[in-house]
Structure formats: C-alpha cells, structure tokens
Amino acid sequence: MKSYAEKDLAAAVDAVANGEITFVDGGPTELPPPPDTEPKVVCSFRLPVEAYQQLRQVATERGLKPTALMRDWVLAGLASADRDRTISVADLLRVVAALPDAHPDAA
C-alpha cells in the first residue's frame, strides 16, 4: 500500500510526464538581503553543574537567557583584555541597568 505522500508524488510525476505541469525559466532571481547583524559562531564548553545552575539563576534574575549572559560575560572579558577598546553608550546603559541597586531607598 502506498502512503499519501507516495501517491501525491506519483501523481505529480504523471502530471509532468503528460505535460500538465511545465517549468519555465523565470529569469534572474534576487538574492535575499544581507543579515542585519554580524554573523555569529556556535561554540560549546563544559561547566560544572553547580556553576551552570548559578549561571541560570543569575540570567533569570536579569531577564536573560543563560546563553545571552555567557555571551555578555565573554565579550566583557575580551573588552577588558583590550584596554584601548571603547564601548557604545547603548552597551554601557545595558550593563548599568543590569547592575543590582546599591541603595534601593535612594531615588
């Protein structure tokens, strides 16, 4: 017994063979626009379970995914290794907003 997908494929093959479906060269096609962000790479590393649990807790408290927090920390570490690098105001404000309040009663 043929599955629905096999019957569908067989019907499509027959339609092409009988000339019921034809393909036309539509001419040149346009490439999709380049990505809006810088390409990223995937990397992995191992953490002790306790460290990962703590990372998840900190990320949750800051409203981030653990991977976003790891990326921020790695980028901050790299920035501190390059003493001549400047950071954008947006990055600075994001970091300051993530800091816990030193004096919660101060307004």
Side-chain angles (χ1 to χ4, degrees):
M1 178 177 192
K2 290 185 176 181
S3 70
Y4 181 76
E6 290 173 335
K7 290 178 186 176
D8 236 15
L9 182 58
V13 168
D14 288 341
V16 171
N18 296 332
E20 298 169 23
I21 298 176
T22 58
F23 297 93
V24 179
D25 181 10
T29 59
E30 292 184 28
L31 293 174
D36 293 337
T37 62
E38 182 180 351
K40 294 179 175 54
V41 297
V42 175
C43 59
S44 65
F45 59 94
R46 298 183 183 274
L47 288 174
V49 173
E50 186 177 306
Y52 184 70
Q53 290 171 341
Q54 187 178 6
L55 171 75
R56 287 180 56 196
Q57 180 181 351
V58 172
T60 300
E61 290 169 359
R62 295 183 183 189
L64 297 171
K65 292 182 178 182
T67 52
L69 183 58
M70 286 188 282
R71 182 175 43 250
D72 286 349
W73 284 349
V74 167
L75 293 174
L78 291 172
S80 69
D82 181 6
R83 302 226 183 258
D84 292 335
R85 182 174 185 260
T86 58
I87 62 170
S88 70
V89 172
D91 286 342
L92 178 60
L93 292 174
R94 185 174 45 79
V95 169
V96 170
L99 294 173
D101 293 334
H103 302 285
D105 294 332

